[in-house]
Amino acid sequence: MLDHAQNRPDLSPEIARRRTFAIISHPDAGKTTLTEKFLLFGGAIQMAGQVRAKGEARRTRSDFMQMEKDRGISVSASAMSFDFGKYRFNLVDTPGHSDFSEDTYRTLTAVDAAVMVIDGAKGVESQTRKLFEVCRLRDLPILTFCNKMDRESRETFDIIDEIQQNLAIDVTPASWPIGRGAEFLGCYDLLRNRLELMDRADRNKVGATIVLEGLDDPAMEAHIPADLLAQLREEVEMARELLPPLNPKSVLEGHLTPIWFGSAINSFGVKELMDGIAAYAPEPQIQKAESRQIAPEEDKVTGFVFKVQANMDPKHRDRVAFVRLASGHFERGMKLTHVRSKKQMTVASPVLFLAADRELAEEAWAGDIIGIPNHGQLRIGDALTEGEALRFTGIPSFAPELLQACRAGDPMKAKHLDKALTQFAEEGAAKVFKPVFGSGFIVGVVGQLQYEVLASRIELEYGLPVRFEPTQFTSARWVAGEKLAVEKFTAANKQHMATDTDGDPVFMTRLQWDIDRVGRDYPDIRLTAIKEMHGT
């Protein structure tokens, strides 16, 4: 994260109170449940949507796509805003499922910090490691929540040790668990010398807080059995000797993560984590653009699209662009310049998200995430400004790892398929390539599950049964180089060529040999696996 320059003015109170963060974790670590409880404590919802409850109650508030509701996994990153005390939290829920890592990667370009959720029994898992690497690339401050302490979990020191070794980041405990599994009573709050006891009877209730004069306070004995109390005192003493103290500057620089322990399903430890986000996560940060850096306190409004979600409401064939505001004070009805098309657009009905409920945003500030309904003009990477021709950097598009041809069940409806696939490509849900030779489309994705998601959404949203079939190609690379060289290369390799939805040339490969051959025979051509989405 970029440090506050000495000569930068203080942020206005409205901007300074914003905390924009993502929640990252391996599938099933309890991320969606934690999101729910955040909304509950923020007063945004009255009753947590119990992910495990039956029937309608199971439709968790932040998972709104039909398939997510059926499978209980978060597939599309949704954004939610709510107040917590004097702070405004903008929370972005990211898909934990590995097939959707690209969506998650782009989402992490729009936040200033990340909350990492790990399962107390499983520790650091593969997907957590991947997502953590992305946070590391962006120097994002990370706060950690160790969930499911009310189930059988590992030794506290083992968990901390694993985070330090696997993720190469220092860990400082903000709370310390008392007992584990069935014996789990609560936590000792190391930052405020308080005892937090869990209420197992009512899952949506915050447990009792007892203020103490430190670990040796005799009042502890009234609440904790002697053996657990002795263990707590011994472990905390060791932790204080062996682990670094909480240094807010190290947290902001991404070198140190504070860890809270709790049980999201029992609403335990969540409020302490939220207090921690308010105190230690950064206020809106400087964003990078090609020509300069954009500071949040600038007067003029700027923002970039990091996600496009179509058909959030099946009743309206709509498309919403999620925009992270980088600077300024936005007001409804403002005219903003869409930099890619150089056209002005009046933002008449911007929305703030409370999970699936949307409300019109009368105003928003730097750090906020707003939704702009549109009919396809806005794409991932697009910049919106008050006239300046800015291009934000660092929003990537990755080459797909799987390629399949897509055919409509009814050949008469091929035109509708074209429209549906274009929409999903602009949404960033898949790459769609149109081969130079032959008909049809080749759809590229990161993981097999994405094909299932696409097929079910095309059928649900467009009434089109489709099938995906294997193709001779195994990977795709964008072609870069001088205009004449690219044209010559394209003409000589037509059977391998396709275009993506932006009209950029793509080289389809069958074997690694194809890529090696291009490097050998066409030294002035570059094949790239990542394309930056500038909205150009």
Side-chain angles (χ1 to χ4, degrees):
M1 277 288 137
L2 296 154
D3 280 8
H4 257 292
Q6 296 311 308
N7 54 1
R8 277 183 61 198
D10 282 343
L11 292 178
S12 78
E14 264 309 318
I15 296 177
R17 79 185 189 95
R18 278 156 166 74
R19 298 287 180 270
T20 304
F21 61 94
I23 300 190
I24 60 172
S25 81
H26 197 78
D28 286 340
K31 183 163 48 86
T32 305
T33 312
L34 183 63
T35 306
E36 287 282 290
K37 299 298 173 145
F38 275 4
L39 295 177
L40 190 68
F41 287 126
I45 55 174
Q46 300 313 307
M47 166 77 202
Q50 267 292 288
V51 187
R52 282 174 194 70
K54 297 278 191 301
E56 276 312 302
R58 182 171 176 268
R59 313 288 180 245
T60 305
R61 291 292 283 253
S62 54
D63 291 352
F64 62 77
M65 207 190 283
Q66 194 58 45
M67 181 158 179
E68 301 186 0
K69 292 174 179 175
D70 296 344
R71 288 195 173 202
I73 55 172
S74 304
V75 174
S76 57
S78 48
M80 285 156 266
S81 301
F82 55 94
D83 285 322
F84 175 68
K86 64 175 185 155
Y87 294 93
R88 161 58 61 101
F89 280 9
N90 297 313
L91 177 160
V92 186
D93 187 17
T94 58
H97 202 285
S98 63
D99 289 359
F100 297 90
S101 55
E102 185 175 344
D103 198 8
T104 307
Y105 196 117
R106 285 198 293 259
T107 298
L108 290 171
T109 61
V111 298
D112 301 313
V115 171
M116 176 167 72
V117 184
I118 58 175
D119 181 325
K122 295 178 184 158
V124 178
E125 297 171 86
S126 58
Q127 188 64 15
T128 320
R129 204 170 290 129
K130 254 196 208 163
L131 292 170
F132 182 84
E133 284 308 316
V134 176
C135 295
R136 171 61 52 79
L137 283 174
R138 302 204 57 244
D139 283 334
L140 281 182
I142 292 175
L143 307 166
T144 305
F145 183 69
C146 185
N147 193 19
K148 304 193 181 182
M149 294 304 292
D150 57 321
R151 309 223 187 137
E152 282 315 313
S153 63
R154 289 157 60 176
E155 291 279 349
T156 312
F157 279 111
D158 287 353
I159 295 168
I160 290 175
D161 214 35
E162 186 174 22
I163 297 172
Q164 295 197 132
Q165 294 200 343
N166 273 329
L167 305 180
I169 187 170
D170 286 332
V171 179
T172 180
S175 69
W176 199 267
I178 304 164
R180 294 198 308 279
E183 283 194 332
F184 181 65
L185 296 179
C187 284
Y188 183 74
D189 183 336
L190 293 166
L191 302 180
R192 292 177 289 200
N193 277 329
R194 301 194 314 200
L195 185 60
E196 307 286 350
L197 297 174
M198 187 170 86
D199 184 335
R200 283 183 184 259
D202 184 350
R203 287 184 153 176
N204 290 324
K205 205 172 106 192
V206 187
T209 296
I210 295 136
V211 181
L212 299 159
E213 295 296 317
L215 273 173
D216 297 326
D217 191 321
M220 294 273 279
E221 291 160 20
H223 303 283
I224 304 176
D227 57 332
L228 287 178
L229 181 55
Q231 187 185 350
L232 171 70
R233 285 174 174 155
E234 184 188 337
E235 287 182 352
V236 168
E237 192 180 329
M238 277 172 68
R240 282 181 168 153
E241 277 178 28
L242 297 171
L243 298 168
L246 181 57
N247 174 346
K249 187 168 179 289
S250 297
V251 174
L252 291 179
E253 288 168 352
H255 304 317
L256 175 72
T257 177
I259 183 167
W260 284 263
F261 293 86
S263 161
I265 199 134
N266 288 300
S267 306
F268 183 75
V270 177
K271 187 171 177 308
E272 289 70 35
L273 172 64
M274 292 173 84
D275 287 335
I277 293 167
Y280 303 110
E283 52 203 17
Q285 295 289 296
I286 292 174
Q287 298 291 327
K288 291 181 182 141
E290 251 177 28
S291 49
R292 64 188 190 84
Q293 294 188 331
I294 296 152
E297 67 270 14
E298 290 176 22
D299 291 336
K300 296 251 166 95
V301 171
T302 62
F304 61 91
V305 177
F306 67 92
K307 177 182 171 60
V308 175
Q309 178 74 53
N311 304 333
M312 282 176 79
D313 183 345
K315 293 193 275 295
H316 306 132
R317 189 44 69 102
D318 68 344
R319 193 181 291 201
V320 173
F322 286 73
V323 174
R324 155 75 192 236
L325 292 179
S327 65
H329 176 204
F330 167 87
E331 291 177 295
R332 186 157 81 90
M334 267 182 114
K335 283 188 165 54
L336 293 177
T337 303
H338 178 224
V339 175
R340 179 166 52 85
S341 66
K342 302 184 178 59
K343 288 183 181 157
Q344 276 215 329
M345 60 190 292
T346 302
V347 187
S349 48
V351 286
L352 281 172
F353 300 96
L354 276 179
D357 299 341
R358 322 183 198 172
E359 48 186 66
L360 273 183
E362 290 301 329
E363 59 171 4
W365 298 78
D368 281 341
I369 289 168
I370 58 171
I372 300 181
N374 67 97
H375 296 297
Q377 311 89 304
L378 292 178
R379 297 191 199 159
I380 292 169
D382 280 359
L384 293 170
T385 69
E386 288 192 48
E388 187 181 354
L390 281 178
R391 286 165 57 156
F392 286 87
T393 56
I395 304 169
S397 178
F398 297 101
E401 292 169 20
L402 299 170
L403 296 170
Q404 292 199 346
C406 183
R407 313 234 180 275
D410 177 352
M412 305 299 286
K413 291 193 172 167
K415 200 158 174 8
H416 295 297
L417 180 62
D418 182 348
K419 194 175 158 196
L421 289 176
T422 304
Q423 173 208 299
F424 289 123
E426 287 175 4
E427 205 181 295
K431 301 284 175 298
V432 176
F433 304 119
K434 185 98 183 75
V436 172
F437 277 169
S439 62
F441 295 91
I442 290 179
V443 177
V445 297
V446 178
Q448 190 62 40
L449 178 63
Q450 269 173 290
Y451 286 124
E452 293 173 38
V453 173
L454 284 174
S456 85
R457 283 188 63 188
I458 293 171
E459 185 153 1
L460 211 68
E461 294 165 21
Y462 287 86
L464 262 184
V466 294
R467 60 180 191 278
F468 288 100
E469 300 165 347
T471 78
Q472 57 171 332
F473 299 117
T474 56
S475 73
R477 294 287 182 270
W478 282 282
V479 180
E482 293 293 320
K483 191 164 184 280
L484 278 171
V486 171
E487 284 170 2
K488 185 176 156 213
F489 174 77
T490 305
N493 292 280
K494 277 194 170 141
Q495 73 281 15
H496 280 276
M497 296 306 294
T499 51
D500 67 8
T501 24
D502 297 327
D504 291 332
V506 175
F507 180 69
M508 315 289 279
T509 71
R510 289 167 304 201
L511 309 160
Q512 180 61 37
W513 183 84
D514 290 327
I515 296 175
D516 297 342
R517 177 179 68 85
V518 173
R520 195 177 60 238
D521 298 353
Y522 299 91
D524 46 357
I525 288 290
R526 284 191 333 277
L527 298 182
T528 63
I530 295 179
K531 171 171 116 167
E532 272 221 356
M533 304 177 85
H534 288 125
T536 47

